[in-house]
Amino acid sequence: MRAVEVVEPGPLALVQDLGRPGYAHLGVPPSGALDVPALKLANRLVGNDEAAAGVECLFGGLRLRAKTSCTIAVTGPPVTVRVDDRDVGSHAPVWLAAGQVASIGAPATGLRCYLAVSGGIAIDAELGSRSRDVLSEIGPAPLRAGDVLPLGPPSVSGGADVVLPTVAPAELVVRVDPGPRAHWFSGLAAGLAKTWTVTAESNRVGLRLDGPALTRGDEYAERELPSEGLLTGAVQVPPSGLPVVFLADHPTTGGYPVAAVVRQASLPSLAQARPGTLLRFHSSTRMWNR
Amino acid sequence: MRWRAYGEHAALLDCDSLPQMSAAHATIAATRPDGVAELVPGAHSLLVVETPGSGALAAVRELLSGADLEHPPGGEPREITLDVTYDGEDLELVAEDAGVSTEDVVRLHTDAVYTVAFTGFAPGFGYLTGLPEPLRQPRLPTPRTRVPPGSVGIAGEFTGVYPRVSPGGWRLIGHTRAVLFDPRADPPALLAPGDRVRFRSAG
């Protein structure tokens, strides 16, 4: 059987693919890689289908031993990748002989690296996906030393791609549109445009932000919101006035107003936002005046 | 009832009541236009997500604009009966606040027919409406850190069953051995929006 063995998982290594959309009505989050373009790129580099399962590796530290020869690639922020003692670099396909160990260092910027292996990780799927959902605890458990991950059959074609590692900026501009409860807030566009800080309480469920609290309009000050559907990118504002930006493992319904929604194109940058990252929301005023 | 913008590929139907939401849900579910990626009921709302480029949001708006929500498409709802042992930690508290005996709490809870209004909190956790008035009671002032799986609880206008171990603030009146959620089963969740549910005392 083609396989790789986990030597060390690092702080948090999770199997991720493109998630399990379509089950929100049953309370199942979409889950899947937070930095989707990075996982797709890693898969293309090793000749996989873009949707194959790889490893989402939080802050490096992952070490894997090839049980059989295979090709790997690591993407996300630029990061040191070693095979045994040789530095091979990220964002390039690397062939491993059976027994060789690949190690991912800690990225200098950003948070999450993606490792793809030729053939993809072929652990059993749940609801059509191999993604680990940290909120619902569906999918394969976080990787531990000694885990053996089976691989699918490798593609006959070699991998190739344009490789553009992106450095995660220290200050993010996130594009948003108004959310379904934008009208509950006063001075929302101006409030969102202020500088927010990503806090250490952030995870795959959501980014928790600190900054000048958003305030509700008088008419909505004491209003209770019956639970309503949530989406990845929803900017929910609890009574504290400090927003939570929901990511892939978000709850499917929630009882606080959603003030804004992050544009799809801005979601991958949120996957790489470390605690301490400064963030501003950008919106077109035309949208808010509508 | 009105549509509210929800990002690039979704819209929220903000309804006036739960029955109106249920009627809209039944109307869309009956024909489900191509490209509807998610259809997520809330308490008074319905979130519609489209596959980008499919035009499904426009199709759903069109479908609802001509629909008679007073008479939504019928179709027999699924009926599910859950056997419950009424031994919950808060059973006496619930009886006291309702001003009835614990036997009456069981009778009230088992006589009613419930509807799964929406889900959330955890996979397979359905918010069931139809709770008799005396059992509509507030949550516990301090949530429990660990509610065992299968616990049957009540909170406000809802009753429900915890699919797995979790923290929780609902008043617990009993437990069931039914499996509410299994990601390897088809369907994975025992309860889906629109289902009818009864509870039966297992003694």
Side-chain angles (χ1 to χ4, degrees), chain A residues 117-179:
Chain A
V117 190
S118 53
I121 293 169
I123 212 161
D124 287 347
E126 291 187 351
L127 296 176
S129 167
R130 299 178 167 98
S131 291
R132 174 61 171 185
D133 169 351
V134 303
L135 181 73
S136 310
E137 301 179 338
I138 299 174
L143 299 185
R144 294 189 309 178
D147 285 352
V148 173
L149 307 175
L151 303 175
S155 147
V156 285
S157 68
D161 210 300
V162 177
V163 181
L164 294 168
T166 47
V167 174
E171 186 166 347
L172 271 182
V173 177
V174 176
R175 295 199 62 195
V176 292
D177 292 318

Side-chain angles (χ1 to χ4, degrees), chain A residues 56-136:
Chain A
E56 180 179 280
C57 174
L58 183 74
F59 214 63
L62 176 69
R63 302 183 71 213
L64 290 178
R65 178 181 289 115
K67 303 280 279 184
T68 46
S69 66
C70 59
T71 303
I72 63 161
V74 177
T75 60
V79 68
T80 305
V81 180
R82 290 179 183 279
V83 173
D84 295 336
D85 289 327
R86 182 167 50 99
D87 192 347
V88 297
S90 63
H91 297 78
V94 179
W95 185 80
L96 301 183
Q100 285 191 309
V101 174
S103 309
I104 303 178
T109 65
L111 266 185
R112 292 178 172 91
C113 295
Y114 291 83
L115 175 134
V117 190
S118 53
I121 293 169
I123 212 161
D124 287 347
E126 291 187 351
L127 296 176
S129 167
R130 299 178 167 98
S131 291
R132 174 61 171 185
D133 169 351
V134 303
L135 181 73
S136 310

Side-chain angles (χ1 to χ4, degrees), chain B residues 137-169:
Chain B
Q137 298 185 8
R139 290 156 203 255
L140 298 171
T142 308
R144 291 189 170 88
T145 54
R146 187 183 185 283
V147 175
S151 296
V152 178
I154 57 172
E157 61 176 311
F158 301 111
T159 185
V161 185
Y162 286 83
R164 61 187 175 107
V165 176
S166 58

